[in-house]
């Protein structure tokens, strides 16, 4: 029985030694293999030709379309179709007993006639642009199309001012008062 125990003990020692040798041999290549795979993976990510081409094309597209994909806000302050609000103020006759110009009721009480009325009325109009349809030039005034000879209105306080389009070209419009009580005035306005 003792022989059997010694034999089992020898076999156990041999198997333990072989396991340690096998573990040592198999463990080192696994570490080297993992390090090699990690290096290849990081190098492959850096040198991937498809990713480099994608980045190049994405950069070119962003350069071309960055205003479309990320538009800037439109600045509405410098509107070339709108006349300044103070245009023609120097032409307005002011009575000696009238209050200062800073009060709005005094401005509404001043009777406007002729060129002063027309310039004030034009300052309240929003010109959109010129449209040509069937060889007819039409002007956009406050969102509506008008052609030569048409009459439209502009509101000054509680008063409606009738304005007629006398001449219309792609770059200029000649406007006049159409109300006989308002006086006579003609004004040429640049549209574009």
């Amino acid at each position: 029985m003792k022989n059997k125990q010694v034999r089992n003990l020898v076999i156990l020692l041999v198997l333990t030694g072989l396991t340690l040798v096998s573990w040592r041999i198999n463990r080192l290549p696994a570490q080297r293999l993992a390090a090699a795979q990690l290096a290849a993976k990081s190098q492959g990510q850096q040198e991937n030709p498809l990713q480099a081409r994608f980045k190049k094309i994405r950069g070119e597209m962003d350069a071309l379309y960055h205003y479309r994909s990320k538009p800037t806000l439109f600045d509405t302050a410098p509107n070339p179709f709108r006349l300044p609000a103070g245009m023609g103020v120097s032409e307005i006759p002011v009575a000696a007993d009238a209050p200062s110009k800073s009060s709005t009721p005094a401005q509404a009480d001043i009777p406007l006639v002729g060129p002063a009325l027309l310039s004030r009325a034009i300052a309240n109009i929003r010109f959109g642009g010129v449209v040509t349809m069937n060889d007819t030039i039409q002007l956009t005034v406050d969102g509506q199309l008008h052609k030569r000879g048409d009459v439209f209105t502009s509101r000054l306080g509680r008063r409606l001012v009738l304005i007629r389009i006398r001449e219309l070209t792609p770059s200029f419009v000649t406007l006049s008062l159409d109300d006989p009580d308002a006086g006579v005035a003609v004004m040429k306005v640049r549209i574009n």
Side-chain angles (χ1 to χ4, degrees):
M1 176 114 153
K2 212 166 188 187
N3 275 341
K4 198 173 185 184
Q5 287 177 347
V6 171
R7 192 181 71 187
N8 285 341
L9 186 62
V10 170
I11 292 174
L12 181 64
L13 287 175
V14 170
L15 286 176
T16 305
L18 288 175
T19 304
L20 288 174
V21 170
S22 174
W23 176 77
R24 175 89 174 148
I25 291 172
N26 290 333
R27 189 187 77 145
L28 288 178
Q31 288 177 345
R32 288 183 193 148
L33 182 63
Q37 285 176 346
L38 182 64
K41 188 176 184 180
S42 65
Q43 186 180 24
Q45 287 177 349
Q46 292 173 357
E47 297 177 7
N48 188 350
L50 289 176
Q51 285 182 339
R53 182 160 172 83
F54 176 76
K55 287 180 182 176
K56 179 185 171 196
I57 291 173
R58 174 56 73 190
E60 291 173 358
M61 288 174 59
D62 286 342
L64 290 173
Y65 296 114
H66 71 278
Y67 290 118
R68 180 175 280 184
S69 58
K70 300 172 192 162
T72 57
L73 294 176
F74 180 70
D75 186 17
T76 59
N79 186 350
F81 301 111
R82 186 157 179 96
L83 295 176
M87 184 175 193
V89 173
S90 62
E91 301 171 12
I92 300 171
V94 179
D97 59 341
S100 67
K101 288 185 178 182
S102 63
S103 63
T104 54
Q107 289 179 353
D109 294 341
I110 298 173
L112 294 175
V113 290
L117 177 65
L118 183 60
S119 63
R120 274 281 177 93
I122 290 174
N124 286 336
I125 296 172
R126 189 184 67 215
F127 291 107
V130 177
V131 177
T132 303
M133 292 189 314
N134 299 331
D135 296 330
T136 303
I137 300 173
Q138 295 183 352
L139 175 68
T140 305
V141 178
D142 292 331
Q144 296 179 350
L145 288 174
H146 297 283
K147 60 183 185 281
R148 182 177 174 214
D150 284 356
V151 177
F152 59 92
T153 60
S154 175
R155 182 173 294 277
L156 290 176
R158 286 179 255 142
R159 183 176 182 183
L160 286 178
V161 180
L162 297 174
I163 301 173
R164 179 177 297 275
I165 299 176
R166 282 189 152 187
E167 294 292 326
L168 183 59
T169 65
S171 56
F172 288 100
V173 62
T174 305
L175 303 169
S176 66
L177 290 174
D178 197 51
D179 189 4
D181 296 334
V184 178
V186 176
M187 187 176 285
K188 190 173 187 178
V189 178
R190 183 177 175 87
I191 328 179
N192 56 3

